[in-house]
Amino acid sequence: MSGQADFECAAEWDAMEKKFGIVYLVGAGPGDPELVTVKGAGILGAAEVLVYDRLVSEELLKLVPDACERIYVGKKPGFHAKTQDEINRILVEKAKEGKIVVRLKGGDPFVFGRGGEEALELARHNIPCKIVPGVTSAIAAPAHAGIPVTHRGLSQSFHVITGHTADGKSMDDAAFACYARLSGTLVFLMGLSNLERITERLLSNGKAPDTPAAVVSNGTLAKEQSVRAPLDAICAKTREAGLKPPGILLVGGTAALHLNEKRDLPLAGVTVGVTGTDSIYERLSVRLSALGAEVMRAGRSRVERENEEGLLAALRGLAMYDWVVFTSRNAVRIFFETMRENRVDARILGRLLFAAVGSGTGELLEEFGIYADYIPKAYTTEALAAGLSGAVRPGSRLLLARARRGSEALPNILSAAGILCTELPIYDVVTEKVDCAGLERLSYLTFASSSGVHGFFAGQAEEKRRLLARVRPVCIGEVTAKALESYGITGALVAREYTAAGIAEMIGEDYGAVCL
């Protein structure tokens, strides 16, 4: 339904795209922002206008450029921010302005998302439209709750039915007489509000009362809940458990299955905000999500390379140094990437010794074929400096590759020990402005660097102090905790191991999880 068939040739299609802009109908997936497709995420990064629904994750909204115009058109029972006709008109008008328009819809655009109507309207106006499929909650929500929609010996088919208009003309008894006779899994989307009406009609049309049924609420999210019961008891069980929309109803043999143990995960129900770079977010997200926590961005930092000429000069003069010292993974990556980009032969490293501030930095160093000669037991710059003071001969020369705003403790301690230390700033960490909106529901807020702390407090400082009076801060190390104290925030949790794993472990211990 892209509308391309209305054009006689690809050249005409391209001409219309340049004249009108283009609309992408993008499926946002079932709720968990990590379940959006790679293609969908990439298109969001190019959006000039974003038209989005109510159930779209806030994390996906952060993927669009700052200059992107955002238009909310969400719908919920009893209230529509925009009618469907108004949404169609917005898509047409913005495309005619020559914009890249992204219509972001929960699940898949063509599974009860009215994407077909929007595509037809765009085709009527000769506006280019491209469809980016999404993961539908009809499959993803049951799967996340441990319920397969098909299973050998139980269900050879599944049927997706809208539950939103169960009291309307399109959902009359004739339709339910058909549904009740189907042998596969029945999946009623948006079925929680009309749960009683749907189950009554299935039962009155002959569906066996002991047919397994299940309700999944907030599927794929950390706050997901599910209940299972026979069809004639599923309503009472659902109301007793307090499940609220959005939710889906499943009816059929597979609804009795429970093929995962998400409900027993140690951090189920915990929401963790992560500040820092994409790297720290990815490493923390993987660990915390696996333990059942919901993880969200609370401020993105980016690493900006700088002083490349100084680094190149240092690389060409490595013969004058005895040690190269790294205080972060960023420094390791930039150091070796610069070598590769400028065709610096790795054989110049042969006589050097290497030190790393911690195991995470050491592990990345190993990926470039270097095993650190020294890593302190305590992962701090002070411990690194103290250890090197004993391990390095006086008069030795050290090259310290680091961030521009690094701690002064390391060079000061080394200099006092008679060790010649050349500081080489090769990057800076820049943090985007962080808004408190949406962070109130956090259980924990993590900080992986002192620069991340300063970036977090850049704007709305008083509101952020109030936020951290309710939300427990977790720091990767003592230096980061001291940066928090400079803003009046005390009592932060501090990871014993200064790594993403250490942060996750500290959150688990504080929450009472016994196994990480």
Side-chain angles (χ1 to χ4, degrees):
M1 298 299 298
S2 67
Q4 189 169 0
D6 295 329
F7 299 100
E8 294 182 353
C9 63
E12 184 176 355
W13 172 267
D14 291 340
M16 296 303 293
E17 183 174 333
K18 291 177 182 177
K19 179 179 179 181
F20 284 142
I22 186 169
V23 177
Y24 290 92
L25 301 186
V26 178
D32 181 345
E34 294 186 351
L35 292 177
V36 70
T37 64
V38 173
K39 185 170 185 177
I43 290 171
L44 285 171
E48 294 174 319
V49 179
L50 178 70
V51 183
Y52 65 100
D53 283 346
R54 178 173 67 97
L55 296 179
V56 168
S57 169
E58 292 180 4
E59 295 300 301
L60 295 182
L61 303 186
K62 296 178 182 178
L63 297 181
V64 303
D66 292 339
C68 177
E69 179 184 0
R70 304 181 185 198
I71 303 174
Y72 175 70
V73 296
K75 302 173 183 177
K76 61 181 179 179
F79 174 77
H80 289 184
K82 301 287 184 182
T83 66
Q84 189 60 49
D85 287 343
E86 289 174 321
I87 294 171
N88 293 348
R89 185 169 65 251
I90 289 169
L91 296 178
V92 170
E93 290 175 354
K94 293 300 178 181
K96 285 186 175 181
E97 292 176 8
K99 302 289 183 62
I100 298 174
V101 183
V102 176
R103 173 71 171 106
L104 188 61
K105 308 169 75 67
D108 180 271
F110 286 175
V111 179
F112 298 119
R114 305 188 73 171
E117 298 172 46
E118 294 168 359
L120 286 171
E121 182 68 11
L122 293 165
R124 193 170 69 83
H125 289 271
N126 289 335
I127 293 172
C129 172
K130 296 184 179 180
I131 313 302
V132 181
V135 181
T136 173
S137 61
I139 299 171
H144 201 257
I147 302 172
V149 292
T150 64
H151 189 76
R152 190 172 187 177
L154 287 177
S155 175
Q156 282 72 51
S157 64
F158 67 95
H159 314 270
V160 183
I161 306 159
T162 178
H164 189 61
T165 58
D167 56 347
K169 294 180 180 179
S170 63
M171 300 288 285
D172 57 18
D173 281 334
F176 274 90
C178 174
Y179 302 151
R181 291 194 298 270
L182 294 171
S183 59
T185 304
L186 306 182
V187 183
F188 290 89
L189 296 184
M190 302 168 288
L192 203 47
S193 297
N194 291 310
L195 185 61
E196 284 81 1
R197 188 180 298 272
I198 294 170
T199 56
E200 287 172 2
R201 290 191 177 189
L202 287 173
L203 291 167
S204 64
N205 280 279
K207 201 70 172 176
D210 62 352
T211 303
V215 170
V216 181
S217 173
N218 291 298
T220 76
L221 299 176
K223 56 185 176 181
E224 173 186 291
Q225 292 178 279
S226 61
V227 298
R228 292 161 175 77
L231 181 60
D232 63 354
I234 191 65
C235 291
K237 187 76 175 287
T238 300
R239 302 313 177 199
E240 178 185 340
L243 271 61
K244 303 293 184 184
I248 67 173
L249 167 67
L250 296 106
V251 179
T254 64
L257 299 178
H258 192 168
L259 303 183
N260 68 13
E261 297 298 327
K262 179 175 174 56
R263 61 185 176 180
D264 298 324
L265 293 176
L267 295 183
V270 173
T271 304
V272 181
V274 177
T275 67
T277 62
D278 289 342
S279 175
I280 191 68
Y281 175 78
E282 290 166 5
R283 283 180 283 144
L284 267 175
S285 180
V286 167
R287 291 181 178 276
L288 293 170
S289 297
L291 297 170
E294 179 182 2
V295 185
M296 61 182 290
R297 279 280 197 184
R300 175 182 277 107
S301 299
R302 66 181 185 276
V303 176
E304 293 187 349
R305 292 167 58 165
E306 60 178 45
N307 193 22
E308 185 169 343
E309 290 184 2
L311 176 54
L312 278 172
L315 289 171
R316 295 186 180 110
L318 280 177
M320 72 175 66
Y321 296 104
D322 302 292
W323 286 76
V324 178
V325 181
F326 295 108
T327 59
S328 70
R329 293 170 59 94
N330 293 325
V332 172
R333 189 185 68 255
I334 292 170
F335 184 92
F336 286 96
E337 285 179 353
T338 302
M339 284 186 62
R340 183 171 57 247
E341 292 165 3
N342 291 276
R343 298 180 62 82
V344 177
D345 198 306
R347 285 173 288 188
I348 65 172
L349 306 176
R351 55 172 295 277
L352 289 168
L353 299 173
F354 289 82
V357 71
S359 62
T361 305
E363 287 169 5
L364 184 58
L365 191 58
E366 290 178 11
E367 293 184 18
F368 291 97
I370 303 293
Y371 292 85
D373 297 281
Y374 180 76
I375 297 176
K377 292 181 179 179
Y379 301 156
T380 67
T381 53
E382 290 85 351
L384 177 61
L388 285 173
S389 297
V392 177
R393 296 191 308 271
S396 296
R397 297 185 63 93
L398 275 67
L399 178 64
L400 173 58
R402 65 185 312 184
R404 178 158 60 89
R405 291 176 284 185
S407 169
E408 294 301 318
L410 181 55
N412 290 343
I413 295 173
L414 292 173
S415 296
I419 298 169
L420 303 176
C421 180
T422 299
E423 293 186 71
L424 181 65
I426 58 176
Y427 71 95
D428 194 14
V429 178
V430 180
T431 303
E432 68 180 11
K433 184 178 179 181
V434 182
D435 196 326
C436 283
L439 302 182
E440 294 82 2
R441 62 191 183 91
L442 293 178
S443 311
Y444 297 93
L445 181 60
T446 71
F447 296 93
S449 67
S450 55
S451 60
V453 171
H454 298 313
F456 179 78
F457 279 96
Q460 293 186 314
E462 196 53 45
E463 291 91 334
K464 287 164 184 172
R465 288 189 185 92
R466 288 196 294 269
L467 174 72
L468 288 172
R470 304 187 305 273
V471 177
R472 192 75 187 270
V474 188
C475 296
I476 199 168
E478 295 290 351
V479 173
T480 306
K482 288 177 181 176
L484 266 181
E485 289 176 5
S486 70
Y487 292 94
I489 308 301
T490 59
L493 298 172
V494 179
R496 285 189 297 275
E497 180 180 328
Y498 297 175
T499 62
I503 291 176
E505 181 179 10
M506 183 54 63
I507 291 173
E509 288 185 9
D510 184 70
Y511 190 68
V514 295
C515 180
L516 290 172

